[in-house]
């Protein structure tokens, strides 16, 4: 074992390089050769640091850096890159892929040559096709050419291949329907009906020197424009391709009424939702914490256990249960209200009730956390302060105002900011409870009246009724990222993390 110790850093570095090479290859396929090369060079540099005797700590830091790059830094960079493109439905492929796809299209020219055919099969199962034109000349295909091998009727056998009987011929046709036999001069031999092969011609031909696509059927030149190849009359040819559109998505977000109107509504509701639900949760949590902190309260352990139960149940399960409880027709809540008050509330059908349901359910999910942090902070406040206040004749509410709340907010202020940031992006509650519904009546958009920015982004990317718009979704993601980043900076400022550390010698 001692003999292997000097070689362990080299073995470790080799493993890192091997793993890095694999992910570099994957990254080069997904994001391009440049990104793959950069990632490989970074991995290789780290491997050199691992081997160097003076860089011992890097042996443990390297895996963390690699994982951070793969799962944090690269997705951020990729999202920013997508925000400046038209990536989405109709623009999924690259320009090269679109050209390759269009160049595979063929058309049947006027006065094309037609051929009868027969299928021949060898003992090994291989298939050979022979063709016969109107003049009874028989051909085989060799080196992209029709080679004449005879005249008259098809032979019963040719070069160790035997003709397939007519009773079996049509059983092989399914194999022939997708065959495209390439010939000279951009022509192809394809099946035109059950009994005939015809010479087709390539529809589109790309001229790289001019960056145009030639339509051999109409003779038109198609130029690339806005992610499409466009005819002289302005007609766009599908499919489109991904191209850089600059800040067009950002302009759409603020100037295109079809996008800006729902975005503004979603943004206002998002801020209102995060602010109110954070305030309600912490207010209710503080109220319960004050009760639980009362020394005269009996059975506090039982009460705390019961009050923390919603926190113990996975939120995913709780949300699905609440969806059933608030069901308009058969939900338990409406059945109770109907039996007592004679009313049936349309929880998920009207905006005001759907939003109320969100506040109630998120209170159920969030108050245990608020209660716990408030209770911990209350118990850290010195009892002497309250005793001194009582001596001065301060009432309970005066103590709450002058002692409890100021000291409590100092301790939980950063947690409130963090909770606001969490609720600002609380996708689970919105998507699982209401799905963003009900829809906006006066706007043609995937956004609903209870959608927040993150759920709106998800719908744009994956649930668009008229297709996905990844570019616009990435743009909104950047805005959400900037908002959360500002909230994080605010949190750091409140918690004093940017203050210079003072050392006492």
């Amino acid at each position: 074992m001692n003999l292997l110790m000097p070689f362990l850093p080299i073995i470790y570095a080799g493993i890192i390089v091997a793993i890095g090479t694999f992910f570099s290859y994957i990254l080069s396929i997904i994001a391009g050769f440049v990104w793959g090369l950069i990632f490989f060079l970074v991995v290789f540099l780290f491997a050199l640091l691992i081997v160097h005797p003076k860089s011992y700590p890097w042996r443990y830091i390297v895996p963390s850096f690699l994982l951070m790059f793969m799962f944090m830094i690269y997705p951020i960079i990729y999202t920013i890159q997508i925000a400046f493109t038209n990536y989405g439905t109709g623009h999924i492929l690259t320009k090269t892929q679109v050209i390759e796809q269009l160049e595979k299209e063929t058309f049947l020219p006027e006065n094309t040559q037609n051929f009868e055919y027969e299928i021949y099969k060898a003992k090994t199962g291989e298939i050979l096709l022979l063709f016969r034109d109107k003049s009874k000349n028989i051909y085989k295909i060799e080196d992209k050419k029709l080679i004449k091998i005879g005249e008259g009727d098809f032979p019963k056998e040719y070069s160790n291949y035997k003709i397939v009987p007519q009773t079996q011929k049509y059983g092989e046709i399914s194999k022939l329907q997708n065959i495209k036999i390439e010939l000279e001069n951009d022509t192809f031999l394809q099946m035109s009906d059950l009994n005939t092969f015809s010479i087709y011609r390539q529809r589109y031909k790309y001229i790289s020197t001019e960056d145009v696509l030639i339509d051999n059927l109409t003779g038109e030149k198609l130029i690339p424009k806005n992610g499409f190849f466009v005819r002289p009359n302005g007609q766009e040819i599908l499919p489109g391709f991904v191209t850089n559109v600059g800040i067009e998505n950002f302009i759409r977000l603020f100037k295109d009424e079809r996008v800006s109107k729902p975005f503004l509504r979603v943004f206002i509701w998002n801020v209102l939702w995060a602010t109110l639900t954070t305030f309600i949760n912490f207010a209710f949590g503080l109220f319960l914490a004050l009760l639980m902190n009362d020394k005269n309260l009996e059975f506090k352990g039982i009460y705390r256990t019961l009050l923390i139960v919603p926190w113990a149940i996975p939120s995913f399960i709780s949300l699905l249960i609440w969806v059933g409880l608030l069901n308009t027709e058969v939900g338990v809540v409406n059945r109770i209200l109907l039996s007592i008050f004679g009313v049936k509330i349309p929880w998920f059908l009207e905006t005001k009730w759907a939003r109320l349901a969100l506040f109630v359910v998120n209170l159920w999910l969030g108050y245990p956390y608020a209660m716990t942090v408030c209770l911990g902070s209350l118990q850290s406040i010195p009892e002497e302060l309250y005793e001194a206040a009582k001596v001065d004749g301060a009432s309970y509410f005066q103590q709450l105002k002058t002692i409890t709340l100021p000291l409590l907010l100092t301790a939980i202020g950063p947690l409130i900011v963090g909770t606001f940031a969490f609720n600002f992006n609380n996708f689970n509650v919105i998507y699982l409870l209401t799905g963003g519904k009900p829809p906006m009546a006066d706007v043609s958009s995937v956004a609903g009246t209870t959608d927040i920015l993150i759920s709106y982004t998800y719908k744009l990317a994956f649930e668009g009724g008229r297709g996905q718009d990844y570019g616009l979704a990435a743009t909104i993601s950047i805005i959400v990222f900037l908002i959360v980043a500002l909230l994080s900076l605010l949190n750091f400022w409140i918690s004093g993390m940017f203050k210079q550390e003072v050392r006492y010698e």
Side-chain angles (χ1 to χ4, degrees):
M1 185 65 181
N2 292 332
L3 295 174
L4 291 175
M5 289 299 293
F7 299 100
L8 287 179
I10 298 175
I11 296 172
Y12 182 62
I15 294 173
I16 293 293
V17 170
I19 296 174
T21 302
F22 171 75
F23 281 106
S24 297
Y25 174 72
I26 299 298
L27 190 62
S28 64
I29 294 175
I30 298 174
F33 174 78
V34 175
W35 282 108
L37 179 61
I38 292 173
F39 184 72
F40 175 78
L41 292 175
V42 172
V43 171
F44 188 74
L45 176 61
F46 282 158
L48 292 178
L49 291 172
I50 291 172
V51 175
H52 198 279
K54 293 185 179 180
S55 57
Y56 186 84
W58 286 95
R59 301 177 187 181
Y60 307 101
I61 298 174
V62 167
S64 301
F65 271 106
L66 293 178
L67 292 174
M68 183 178 70
F69 180 85
M70 287 187 293
F71 298 111
M72 293 180 62
I73 298 176
Y74 172 70
I76 292 173
I77 295 173
Y78 186 66
T79 301
I80 294 173
Q81 180 183 345
I82 293 299
F84 293 92
T85 69
N86 62 347
Y87 187 40
T89 298
H91 299 276
I92 298 295
L93 304 176
T94 64
K95 185 178 179 181
T96 301
Q97 290 172 327
V98 168
I99 291 171
E100 290 176 354
Q101 183 170 323
L102 291 175
E103 285 189 325
K104 291 178 182 178
E105 292 189 20
T106 58
F107 70 98
L108 196 62
E110 295 183 6
N111 303 319
T112 187
Q113 195 172 3
N114 300 316
F115 298 88
E116 299 174 333
Y117 70 95
E118 287 291 350
I119 305 172
Y120 292 78
K121 185 178 288 188
K123 293 181 180 180
T124 57
E126 296 177 356
I127 289 177
L128 173 70
L129 294 177
L130 294 183
F131 303 93
R132 184 173 65 184
D133 61 17
K134 293 180 180 180
S135 301
K136 302 296 183 180
N137 296 315
I138 301 174
Y139 302 89
K140 69 174 182 178
I141 305 296
E142 188 175 300
D143 297 330
K144 298 183 180 181
K145 296 179 181 179
L146 287 165
I147 306 298
K148 183 178 178 180
I149 59 171
E151 297 179 0
D153 296 329
F154 285 103
K156 300 297 182 183
E157 185 175 346
Y158 177 79
S159 186
N160 297 323
Y161 287 83
K162 291 187 178 181
I163 192 169
V164 174
Q166 292 296 318
T167 54
Q168 302 177 18
K169 178 179 178 180
Y170 293 105
E172 303 288 341
I173 285 181
S174 60
K175 301 177 183 178
L176 307 180
Q177 289 177 334
N178 296 321
I179 288 180
K180 184 188 293 185
I181 304 172
E182 186 176 358
L183 302 177
E184 296 177 310
N185 301 322
D186 298 327
T187 58
F188 301 88
L189 200 58
Q190 292 178 250
M191 180 179 283
S192 54
D193 58 51
L194 291 178
N195 299 307
T196 309
F197 269 73
S198 301
I199 293 182
Y200 286 73
R201 191 179 176 193
Q202 182 178 339
R203 175 72 184 269
Y204 298 103
K205 181 71 175 179
Y206 180 67
I207 309 299
S208 58
T209 54
E210 302 179 33
D211 192 24
V212 296
L213 205 64
I214 304 298
D215 187 343
N216 290 322
L217 178 61
T218 63
E220 296 174 320
K221 284 187 177 181
L222 285 64
I223 60 173
K225 183 180 180 182
N226 298 328
F228 290 100
F229 280 101
V230 183
R231 296 186 183 278
N233 62 2
Q235 180 187 358
E236 298 172 347
I237 303 299
L238 295 175
F241 52 86
V242 179
T243 187
N244 191 297
V245 295
I247 60 173
E248 182 180 324
N249 288 320
F250 294 89
I251 294 174
R252 287 174 59 198
L253 199 58
F254 296 103
K255 288 192 175 181
D256 188 344
E257 187 174 336
R258 295 171 299 177
V259 178
S260 61
K261 193 173 182 179
F263 172 77
L264 184 60
R265 291 183 182 179
V266 170
F267 178 76
I268 293 173
W269 158 244
N270 200 160
V271 175
L272 183 67
W273 153 257
T275 303
L276 289 180
T277 195
T278 301
F279 173 78
I280 292 170
N281 288 4
F282 267 91
F284 190 69
L286 175 59
F287 171 74
L288 293 176
L290 291 171
L291 292 178
M292 294 300 104
N293 199 45
D294 189 347
K295 294 181 179 180
N296 299 320
L297 181 67
E298 298 182 357
F299 309 112
K300 286 191 290 186
I302 297 175
Y303 295 146
R304 288 177 183 177
T305 302
L306 293 176
L307 288 171
I308 210 169
V309 166
W311 204 7
I313 301 173
S315 60
F316 181 86
I317 302 299
S318 295
L319 287 167
L320 294 181
I321 293 173
W322 274 104
V323 169
L325 292 175
L326 296 175
N327 185 280
T328 303
E329 300 299 330
V330 298
V332 173
V333 174
N334 266 5
R335 290 170 63 183
I336 294 173
L337 292 175
L338 186 63
S339 62
I340 298 176
F341 302 104
V343 297
K344 186 167 63 173
I345 297 176
W347 290 106
F348 303 131
L349 302 178
E350 295 183 10
T351 299
K352 61 180 180 181
W353 293 113
R355 290 180 174 178
L356 177 61
L358 284 171
F359 285 119
V360 171
V361 173
N362 202 45
L363 175 62
W364 168 265
L365 296 173
Y367 84 81
Y369 170 76
M371 181 189 71
T372 302
V373 297
C374 289
L375 188 58
S377 299
L378 287 172
Q379 292 175 349
S380 67
I381 298 176
E383 188 65 28
E384 292 80 2
L385 295 176
Y386 294 105
E387 292 176 358
K390 289 178 182 178
V391 172
D392 292 337
S395 65
Y396 174 81
F397 290 102
Q398 287 175 326
Q399 295 175 39
L400 181 66
K401 179 181 178 181
T402 59
I403 299 175
T404 305
L405 290 180
L407 294 178
L408 187 67
L409 289 174
T410 301
I412 69 172
L415 299 176
I416 293 176
V417 176
T419 303
F420 178 88
F422 173 79
N423 286 321
F424 196 87
N425 281 332
N426 199 341
F427 176 83
N428 285 348
V429 172
I430 302 296
Y431 192 77
L432 294 178
L433 191 66
T434 67
K437 298 175 183 177
M440 295 182 183
D442 59 336
V443 178
S444 177
S445 173
V446 295
T449 55
T450 58
D451 267 316
I452 58 177
L453 289 175
I454 192 68
S455 63
Y456 179 39
T457 302
Y458 178 84
K459 287 182 176 181
L460 283 173
F462 302 109
E463 294 186 354
R466 290 175 293 181
Q468 288 72 39
D469 194 340
Y470 300 114
L472 186 61
T475 303
I476 297 177
S477 297
I478 292 174
I479 293 175
V480 173
F481 172 78
L482 293 175
I483 293 172
V484 174
L486 289 174
L487 291 174
S488 300
L489 291 174
L490 178 62
N491 195 2
F492 293 152
W493 177 71
I494 291 175
S495 60
M497 291 185 67
F498 287 150
K499 293 180 180 179
Q500 186 175 0
E501 184 180 356
V502 179
R503 296 188 178 183
Y504 298 95
E505 301 295 340

